[in-house]
Amino acid sequence: MSIQSAVRAALTYNRRIARAIPSNRLQTSAEEGVMETAIRRWGRAWDEAWVGPARSQRDLIARARLAVSDPDGMDATQGERLARDVLAVLDGRRIG
């Protein structure tokens, strides 16, 4: 899965989770199962989005969008990778 695809998936699941939590729609065990599945899939997509270096500015922008969507979700390694890639782009070097 590409970084951009993984970010799109993570953002989609993030929206689904955000809509379900405030609406208190988790009334039945089946609905709770759907939520657990969405959280699991979000986690996999999030992890996939941070595997490997960004290869283009589009990858970098996708990662930045993901970081902004959930800044507390990033660990130190992901933050360092994002910072390195941003510096490379600002310095005019190739990402990677």
Side-chain angles (χ1 to χ4, degrees):
M1 178 182 293
S2 73
I3 290 172
Q4 294 171 46
S5 297
V7 167
R8 278 192 299 275
L11 292 173
T12 298
Y13 288 115
N14 194 25
R15 283 190 298 272
R16 288 180 187 173
I17 293 165
R19 278 193 308 253
I21 291 172
S23 67
N24 294 321
R25 290 188 299 155
L26 303 176
Q27 302 298 322
T28 68
S29 60
E31 289 169 334
E32 289 176 4
V34 168
M35 180 64 132
E36 288 174 11
T37 300
I39 291 170
R40 212 172 30 253
R41 288 179 179 169
W42 171 84
R44 280 194 305 241
W46 175 278
D47 292 341
E48 187 69 28
W50 293 100
V51 173
R55 300 200 185 283
S56 67
Q57 288 184 3
R58 288 182 180 183
D59 286 349
L60 179 60
I61 291 168
R63 278 189 178 160
R65 287 181 61 216
L66 186 57
V68 168
S69 76
D70 188 4
D72 295 330
M74 282 189 357
D75 63 21
T77 304
Q78 295 162 343
E80 287 176 25
R81 179 174 291 133
L82 183 60
R84 251 190 333 269
D85 291 347
V86 166
L87 291 174
V89 167
L90 291 176
D91 198 27
R93 295 188 313 252
R94 184 176 170 175
I95 299 174

